[in-house]
């Protein structure tokens, strides 16, 4: 080999060594990156642990707070709001009723024809549409005018063009998914907007009256006979309540509907955009003579459970991983936008059972602009979805059992605890809301945890529908 050849060979060897060193360095770095990401997820998982002992503490705390909330306003972290409902439908109701559900995400109009005993819903019609984004931050007049107009069109379609401006004012059941201080069965003052709504200057206004004014303005001859504040629900509940000219929370609607078909129903829980619950309380237990409905005012608790927040929790964890490791390459940027990852997307990624996690990849690309994420990183993302969902479902389960404990239906002691003459009493809890109904893994985790907390024997007599 000549001098030149030798130099070239030496140069090549040096380059090879440099490349090899770079490769090894990169591999080491990437291994370090990967282990940092795994470490972060492990820490997060530990912080989210919900062993049954901890869940039982939540159950106890919930029952204690409920007692306190019944004793005085502001005496508890739970807002215990009175609904003014003293009786639930039993299936004997008859007639045609209209109702309206203004949720945080969707807006539903509904007509139902009830045929009397035994719990006959002869027919019902529901129309659902998303609430236009701009109305979430406008004025209450704009929001309610839209609602009244949509309802008017629905009624006209249902009544086949019959003019609604007639002598007979129709009763309307109005489910309003935000906290309201009920004044009577058909009126209530808005406490605050939640779940992404920030309608201007309306705290303290009577929402039923606002809707009545809007209906008058659009020429719809209806008035709110029953107002339900709170969050989420199933469809037909309002009209059964309307039948009794009552004003209720949408959780009360769920309770009413379920009770309409099954008189063993004792409580209703909504797990949708927000989380909320209601149950029937003995009047003498309402010491402050004011509170009944448990509007889950513990925002920290609600934030760990509700559909509005789960996607955001996952996003924050992924963002931290992206910042502290490079396993998502340069995707950190899109992950920094709050609420860019919605809960239904978390559900879709979690439920992706394709071998190459195709759906996860699609969502990352389409919604987060994260391209070329490795399969292992996708798996890690699914694991984060699982941690967040599992904690949420298990805490929701503890909240439900907390209510059962308050009602003495948790099997923790004698007759008052759900046993009559030695036999456990059948107990039904109505559960509604998009997170629960549309996210099967969430549902499974929740039901599993209820079983774990209550124990097999008691759990056998508790069903959620
Ligand atoms: P609202 O709470 O607005 O009255 P819903 O009870 O229908 O309405 O709940 C809607 C919420 O449920 C959404 O905000 C979302 O968080 C959650 N959700 C909807 N679809 C799914 C899904 N497929 N998987 C998980 N969560 C979902
Ligand atoms: Mg709703």
């Amino acid at each position: 080999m000549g001098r030149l050849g030798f130099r070239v060979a030496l140069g090549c060897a040096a380059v090879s060594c440099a490349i090899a060193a770079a490769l090894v360095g990169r591999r080491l770095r990437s291994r370090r990156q990967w282990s940092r990401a795994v470490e972060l997820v492990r820490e997060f998982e530990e912080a989210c642990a919900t062993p049954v002992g901890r869940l039982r503490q939540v159950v106890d705390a919930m029952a204690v707070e409920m007692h306190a909330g019944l004793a005085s306003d502001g005496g508890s972290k739970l807002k215990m709001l009175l609904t003014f409902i003293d009786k639930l439908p039993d299936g004997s109701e008859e007639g045609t009723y209209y109702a309206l559900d203004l949720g945080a995400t969707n807006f539903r109009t509904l007509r139902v024809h009830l045929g009397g005993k035994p719990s006959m819903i002869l027919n019902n019609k529901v129309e659902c549409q998303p609430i236009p984004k701009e109305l979430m931050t406008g004025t209450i007049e704009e929001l309610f005018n839209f609602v009244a107009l949509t309802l008017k069109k629905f009624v006209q379609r249902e009544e086949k063009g019959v003019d609604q401006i007639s002598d007979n004012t129709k009763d309307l059941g109005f489910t309003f998914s935000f906290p309201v201080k009920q004044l009577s069965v058909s009126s209530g003052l808005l406490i605050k907007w939640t779940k992404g709504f920030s309608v201007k200057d309306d705290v303290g206004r009577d929402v039923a009256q606002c809707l009545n004014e809007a209906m008058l303005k659009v020429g719809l001859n209806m008035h709110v006979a029953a107002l339900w504040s709170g969050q989420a629900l199933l469809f037909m509940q309002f009209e059964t309540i309307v039948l009794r000219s009552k004003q209720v929370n949408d959780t009360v609607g769920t309770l009413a509907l379920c009770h309409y078909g099954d008189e063993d129903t004792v409580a209703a829980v909504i797990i949708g955009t927000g989380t909320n619950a209601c149950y029937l309380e003995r009047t003498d237990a309402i010491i402050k003579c004011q509170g009944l409905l448990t509007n889950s005012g513990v925002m920290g608790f609600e934030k760990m459970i509700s559909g509005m927040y789960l996607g955001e929790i996952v996003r924050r964890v992924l963002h931290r991983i992206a910042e502290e490791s490079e396993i998502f390459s340069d995707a950190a940027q899109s992950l920094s936008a709050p609420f860019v990852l919605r809960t239904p997307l978390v559900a879709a990624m979690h439920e992706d059972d394709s071998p190459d996690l195709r759906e996860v990849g699609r969502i990352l690309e389409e919604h987060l602009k994260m391209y070329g994420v490795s399969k292992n990183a996708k798996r890690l993302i699914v694991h984060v979805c699982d941690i967040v969902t599992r904690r949420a479902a298990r805490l929701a389960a503890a909240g439900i059992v907390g209510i059962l404990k308050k009602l003495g239906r948790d099997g923790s002691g004698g007759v008052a605890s759900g046993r009559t003459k030695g036999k456990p009493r059948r107990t039904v809890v109505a559960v509604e809301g998009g997170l629960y109904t549309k996210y099967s893994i969430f549902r499974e985790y929740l039901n599993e945890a209820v079983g774990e907390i209550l124990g097999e024997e008691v759990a056998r007599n508790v069903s959620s529908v």
Side-chain angles (χ1 to χ4, degrees):
M1 190 185 289
R3 193 171 274 247
L4 181 65
F6 179 73
R7 269 206 209 128
V8 170
L10 203 62
C12 283
V15 169
S16 307
C17 282
I19 290 173
L23 281 177
V24 170
R26 192 183 300 165
R27 208 167 295 148
L28 273 177
R29 229 182 5 260
S30 109
R31 209 172 287 158
R32 268 203 301 274
Q33 295 289 351
W34 182 250
S35 41
R36 179 64 192 136
V38 171
E39 189 186 316
L40 277 173
V41 173
R42 199 173 299 134
E43 281 168 16
F44 181 63
E45 187 167 23
E46 266 172 39
C48 290
T50 48
V52 72
R54 191 171 295 173
L55 293 183
R56 292 207 174 105
Q57 287 171 351
V58 175
V59 170
D60 293 344
M62 181 95 178
V64 167
E65 290 293 336
M66 287 170 77
H67 276 288
L70 291 175
S72 67
D73 269 339
S76 163
K77 288 178 200 141
L78 288 175
K79 266 208 170 66
M80 304 282 281
L81 302 172
L82 182 66
T83 62
F84 293 86
I85 300 292
D86 53 10
K87 205 164 172 231
L88 290 169
D90 59 10
S92 62
E93 294 78 8
E94 280 179 83
T96 300
Y97 299 91
Y98 284 94
L100 192 155
D101 170 27
L102 183 60
T105 316
N106 296 312
F107 164 59
R108 300 183 186 101
T109 43
L110 178 145
R111 178 182 190 259
V112 68
H113 187 185
L114 304 176
K117 271 229 177 277
S119 304
M120 290 265 285
I121 295 173
L122 297 179
N123 68 54
N124 74 82
K125 173 88 180 284
V126 184
E127 283 183 6
C128 181
Q129 56 179 292
I131 298 166
K133 274 231 159 358
E134 64 276 12
L135 292 182
M136 293 167 70
T137 51
T139 64
I140 200 165
E141 280 77 20
E142 285 162 356
L143 178 64
F144 280 16
N145 280 351
F146 162 79
V147 166
L149 208 57
T150 312
L151 178 65
K152 183 182 178 186
K153 288 183 196 150
F154 175 76
V155 173
Q156 282 176 338
R157 272 195 302 278
E158 288 302 300
E159 309 273 321
K160 297 197 176 55
V162 174
D163 190 357
Q164 285 303 297
I165 308 173
S166 68
D167 290 343
N168 298 332
T169 304
K170 285 190 192 324
D171 285 351
L172 175 75
F174 178 27
T175 303
F176 182 69
S177 298
F178 304 90
V180 160
K181 183 177 169 68
Q182 211 86 33
L183 297 177
S184 73
V185 85
S186 58
S187 63
L189 306 182
L190 178 66
I191 295 174
K192 63 173 176 182
W193 291 103
T194 53
K195 299 181 281 191
F197 272 66
S198 60
V199 176
K200 293 171 190 103
D201 303 327
D202 295 309
V203 169
R205 284 180 73 177
D206 180 346
V207 286
Q209 195 188 333
C210 289
L211 182 60
N212 283 335
E213 283 166 12
M215 290 193 293
L216 194 67
K217 212 183 287 172
V218 302
L220 179 61
N221 197 11
M222 276 191 174
H223 83 287
V224 177
L227 165 72
W228 318 341
S229 61
Q231 14 211 309
L233 84 134
L234 190 69
F235 313 126
M236 285 78 92
Q237 55 263 61
F238 342 38
E239 37 307 303
T240 54
I241 294 284
V242 174
L243 274 169
R244 297 180 178 282
S245 289
K246 301 290 181 182
Q247 157 172 346
V248 262
N249 170 297
D250 50 359
T251 51
V252 182
T254 300
L255 179 61
L257 175 64
C258 197
H259 196 269
Y260 178 76
D262 188 335
E263 291 191 53
D264 286 330
T265 310
V266 297
V269 178
I270 307 294
I271 312 169
T273 310
T275 307
N276 208 350
C278 75
Y279 69 103
L280 276 172
E281 183 56 275
R282 293 189 335 267
T283 316
D284 60 353
I286 311 172
I287 298 163
K288 64 177 181 182
C289 274
Q290 214 285 333
L292 173 59
L293 194 145
T294 73
N295 184 340
S296 216
V298 191
M299 287 308 277
F301 189 63
E302 185 178 8
K303 280 181 176 155
M304 283 189 268
I305 295 176
S306 311
M308 169 112 188
Y309 306 105
L310 297 194
E312 175 62 5
I313 298 172
V314 172
R315 180 203 65 87
R316 283 170 180 235
V317 176
L318 298 186
H319 185 224
R320 171 101 187 265
I321 294 173
E323 278 187 327
E324 295 195 21
S325 76
E326 279 165 21
I327 68 162
F328 303 140
S329 321
D330 51 1
Q333 215 177 348
S334 56
L335 279 171
S336 63
F339 289 95
V340 68
L341 186 62
R342 316 292 304 184
T343 302
L345 297 176
V346 167
M349 292 198 287
H350 198 185
E351 292 180 334
D352 181 1
D353 55 4
S354 65
D356 54 348
L357 298 175
R358 210 172 318 132
E359 182 64 4
V360 177
R362 187 192 65 76
I363 289 171
L364 293 179
E365 288 182 11
E366 281 181 22
H367 295 269
L368 299 171
K369 309 282 169 269
M370 290 169 70
Y371 299 98
V373 175
S374 72
K375 191 168 162 189
N376 277 344
K378 285 186 203 160
R379 279 208 197 104
L380 202 69
I381 292 173
V382 173
H383 188 46
V384 172
C385 296
D386 184 68
I387 295 168
V388 173
T389 301
R390 187 165 185 272
R391 175 178 71 170
R394 289 173 71 81
L395 287 176
I400 292 173
V401 179
I403 297 171
L404 295 182
K405 187 178 177 98
K406 172 71 186 64
L407 287 170
R409 301 276 191 131
D410 67 326
S412 62
V415 175
S417 70
R419 284 167 189 273
T420 22
K421 295 186 191 119
K423 271 198 223 140
R425 276 160 75 187
R426 187 170 170 268
T427 298
V428 177
V429 180
V431 190
E432 248 306 316
L435 188 60
Y436 182 81
T437 55
K438 294 185 186 147
Y439 193 175
S440 58
I441 302 180
F442 181 95
R443 213 163 46 234
E444 281 160 25
Y445 276 147
L446 186 150
N447 290 329
E448 180 186 78
V450 168
E452 257 178 63
I453 304 168
L454 286 175
E456 217 177 286
E457 195 200 349
V458 179
R460 220 175 290 134
N461 291 287
V462 175
S463 41
S464 47
V465 293

